Amino acid sequence: MNTNSIYLTLAEKEKYALFLDITNVKWDELPVKKRISMARQVDYLIDDVNLKQVAALLDRNYGSLYNMYMSMVGDLQAVCRRS
């Protein structure tokens, strides 16, 4: 049984998968020296995202990826406001 299905809707799972994809794409872009430094400092902040590039790398439609990304940003902002 997949326990994620208990807590997340399909749209939420897709947003989470996109979040992981973006972080992995950005992480892979970094030089090894920077990755090591960030890992040692436990600093995984991503401060810029090129959605056209991410869409091309993931072979996804830019428009739908953009809409999902903006929805995800709104969700993250709502979580930050609550804390």
Side-chain angles (χ1 to χ4, degrees):
M1 179 173 141
N2 184 352
T3 57
N4 289 339
S5 63
I6 296 171
Y7 301 107
L8 299 175
T9 65
L10 180 59
E12 290 167 333
K13 285 184 204 177
E14 289 178 355
K15 285 192 272 187
Y16 181 66
L18 175 62
F19 175 78
L20 293 177
D21 288 339
I22 288 172
T23 56
N24 288 333
V25 165
K26 294 303 291 182
W27 184 255
D28 291 344
E29 286 180 354
L30 295 173
V32 173
K33 188 174 182 179
K34 176 107 175 154
R35 282 191 245 175
I36 292 170
S37 172
M38 290 173 70
R40 285 183 178 153
Q41 297 172 15
V42 190
D43 174 21
Y44 301 103
L45 180 65
I46 295 173
D47 54 3
D48 67 332
V49 177
N50 183 332
L51 289 179
K52 286 186 181 184
Q53 179 185 24
V54 172
L57 288 170
L58 299 176
D59 197 29
R60 304 265 309 262
N61 176 285
Y62 171 77
S64 64
L65 191 115
Y66 175 83
N67 290 335
M68 190 183 309
Y69 176 79
M70 293 309 293
S71 176
M72 182 177 58
V73 167
D75 292 345
L76 291 171
Q77 288 173 336
V79 167
C80 289
R81 282 192 295 267
R82 289 185 206 144
S83 43

